[in-house]
């Protein structure tokens, strides 16, 4: 996993958690009040995500930021 940059790792983690909950990008973006295009770019690692938006995403996924980063995606 170390070959991925931080944006990609964050995106993969978001996608993993969102898929576990069985919601589409569009459904989830609407649920948390974020544009689908912005959310899609964050999830695909094409856009940097602001800390406040990362917190909003984590809350929408039902995890704390600590739980969000407790993943093989962020291990060395």
């Amino acid at each position: 996993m170390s070959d991925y940059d931080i944006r990609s790792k964050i995106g993969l983690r978001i996608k993993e958690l969102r898929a576990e909950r069985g919601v589409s990008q569009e459904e989830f973006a609407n649920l948390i009040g974020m544009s689908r295009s912005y959310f899609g770019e964050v999830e695909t690692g094409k856009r940097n995500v602001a800390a406040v938006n990362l917190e909003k995403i984590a809350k929408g996924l039902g995890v704390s930021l600590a739980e969000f980063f407790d993943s093989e995606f962020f291990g060395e």
Side-chain angles (χ1 to χ4, degrees), residues 10-55:
I10 288 170
L12 288 168
R13 180 63 169 151
I14 293 168
K15 185 174 183 176
E16 174 186 55
L17 292 169
R18 181 182 57 75
E20 286 174 4
R21 283 141 185 85
V23 294
S24 70
Q25 277 188 353
E26 185 171 10
E27 290 169 326
F28 186 74
N30 288 335
L31 176 75
I32 63 170
M34 190 174 283
S35 83
R36 202 236 25 102
S37 60
Y38 173 80
F39 178 76
E41 289 179 353
V42 169
E43 191 176 270
T44 57
K46 295 177 182 171
R47 182 181 279 258
N48 286 322
V49 61
V52 295
N53 287 333
L54 185 55
E55 183 178 44

